[in-house]
Amino acid sequence: MKSALKRLYQMLVTRVPISARRRIMYFRVTRRPLHLRRPRLFTEKVNWRVVNDRRDILAGTCDKLWMQDYAKDAGCKVPNRLWAGTSLAELAKLDLPARWVLKPNHSSGRVYFGDGKPDLEELLYVTEGWMDGQTSITLADEWAYGKARKCFIAEERLGQTDADLPDYKFFVFHGKPELIQVDSSRFNGHERRLYTPSWEPLDVVNIYPLGPVAPRPSTLDDMLSAAATLGEPFDFIRVDFYEVDGEVIFGELTPYPGGGIEPYSPRSLDAVLGGKWTLPQFQKI
């Protein structure tokens, strides 16, 4: 019953024009109006991109296969890809390592952690609906996800244990990293801490509880350099990395962080980041 009501709600909401839909979602979370004509805040500019920006440069940024190839071409190390395809029966026949992970190529927030030989019945159960599209209205609004190829990707899991690896996310504006977001314990008590590029911690809450101040990563300079290189073609992009045994591993690119509806507290950082982003000039849709 709940799933049917959810589908009905999504069907009704998606009939609302995208600009109105974004304004509704933004106000529900932030309790502030969304300014799309003259966006000033970072979150407003993310929403402006969602509503207006259909440039080819963004078309591959939600396709995991594309972004990994893009990172490899730039000299970055990427996770070891074990398989990509649409048939899980094909995956189940492979001799997989002890630790692997399965993701959809074309959406976010879906992941399955595997150990050794796959169980096809379990895979089919866990991944039901993965090939249908996005996980929420927010993602459905994000144009680049619709450009991603629909398939599964199996990769070797990073690290030697099940301890959660911190996820280092670099906000890159016009080729310059301006903010680092560190997410930890993502699958068990998710915490988040923001830092300046010189690793000064910020007491700013962004949706999740404030994480503890972590030591400066030994590879920070390498990550900053790689983020600048990968982000250079874009007016804004978020570039994610992991650090494994002193080595930088590319994670992903994100053109729509938080869907543009994850507020900052205090709000001043939203304005600071917005001031670093000059939006492209073209006829809005």
Side-chain angles (χ1 to χ4, degrees):
M1 182 65 177
K2 286 183 179 180
S3 60
L5 289 173
K6 184 177 180 180
R7 286 195 298 270
L8 177 62
Y9 170 76
Q10 291 186 342
M11 182 184 71
L12 293 173
V13 171
T14 51
R15 293 184 178 183
V16 176
I18 186 171
S19 58
R21 189 161 63 242
R22 301 306 300 186
R23 286 186 170 94
I24 292 169
M25 289 192 291
Y26 190 84
F27 184 81
R28 284 182 62 189
V29 176
T30 69
R31 291 295 184 252
R32 302 197 309 270
L34 173 61
H35 301 287
L36 289 174
R37 289 185 180 274
R38 293 182 179 85
R40 181 180 63 88
L41 305 177
F42 172 72
T43 52
E44 291 177 335
K45 291 185 176 183
V46 172
N47 278 279
W48 185 95
R49 173 179 273 185
V50 169
V51 172
N52 296 294
D53 202 340
R54 304 292 183 266
R55 290 174 297 156
D56 288 343
I57 194 172
L58 297 177
T61 56
C62 292
D63 184 307
K64 292 181 176 64
L65 293 172
W66 180 91
M67 66 179 75
Q68 287 184 353
D69 290 341
Y70 172 69
K72 283 171 63 177
D73 288 344
C76 296
K77 184 169 183 179
V78 303
N80 181 27
R81 188 186 305 162
L82 304 169
W83 171 84
T86 58
S87 171
L88 292 174
E90 181 180 293
L91 173 65
K93 295 177 182 178
L94 298 182
D95 183 18
L96 296 178
R99 294 166 45 78
W100 53 275
V101 62
L102 182 69
K103 307 173 186 176
N105 181 61
H106 56 287
S107 66
S108 179
R110 292 163 162 167
V111 61
Y112 171 80
F113 296 102
D115 298 287
K117 185 174 177 56
D119 182 307
L120 179 57
E121 186 175 344
E122 182 177 358
L123 286 182
L124 292 172
Y125 174 77
V126 169
T127 63
E128 183 178 2
W130 279 22
M131 298 297 285
D132 296 340
Q134 309 313 322
T135 55
S136 68
I137 295 169
T138 303
L139 289 182
D141 281 348
E142 297 170 2
W143 171 80
Y145 278 107
K147 296 296 181 180
R149 290 160 286 182
K150 290 187 176 182
C151 65
F152 300 103
I153 303 174
E155 298 172 348
E156 202 163 0
R157 277 157 71 182
L158 299 176
Q160 301 300 316
T161 70
D162 286 328
D164 186 58
L165 289 171
D167 199 347
Y168 299 96
K169 303 173 183 290
F170 293 75
F171 288 59
V172 184
F173 298 87
H174 307 282
K176 183 178 180 182
E178 299 281 6
L179 180 76
I180 306 169
Q181 173 184 309
V182 181
D183 287 80
S184 55
S185 304
R186 287 163 299 151
F187 303 104
N188 182 24
H190 195 155
E191 295 179 323
R192 177 173 291 171
R193 170 71 75 161
L194 305 177
Y195 298 84
T196 68
S198 58
W199 205 252
E200 298 168 357
L202 303 177
D203 291 327
V204 177
V205 176
N206 180 225
I207 294 294
Y208 297 102
L210 202 61
V213 176
R216 176 189 172 104
S218 61
T219 59
L220 179 61
D221 290 342
D222 293 335
M223 287 192 281
L224 285 166
S225 177
T229 298
L230 295 175
E232 194 277 331
F234 303 92
D235 45 278
F236 166 76
I237 199 76
R238 200 189 74 200
V239 185
D240 300 356
F241 297 105
Y242 300 98
E243 182 187 66
V244 180
D245 298 328
E247 190 170 33
V248 175
I249 309 293
F250 172 78
E252 64 179 13
L253 302 177
T254 303
Y256 315 108
I261 55 173
E262 292 188 351
Y264 295 91
S265 179
R267 297 176 180 176
S268 55
L269 182 61
D270 205 355
V272 170
L273 294 177
K276 298 180 183 298
W277 186 356
T278 301
L279 292 172
Q281 298 298 313
F282 57 87
Q283 184 65 40
K284 305 175 183 62
I285 64 173

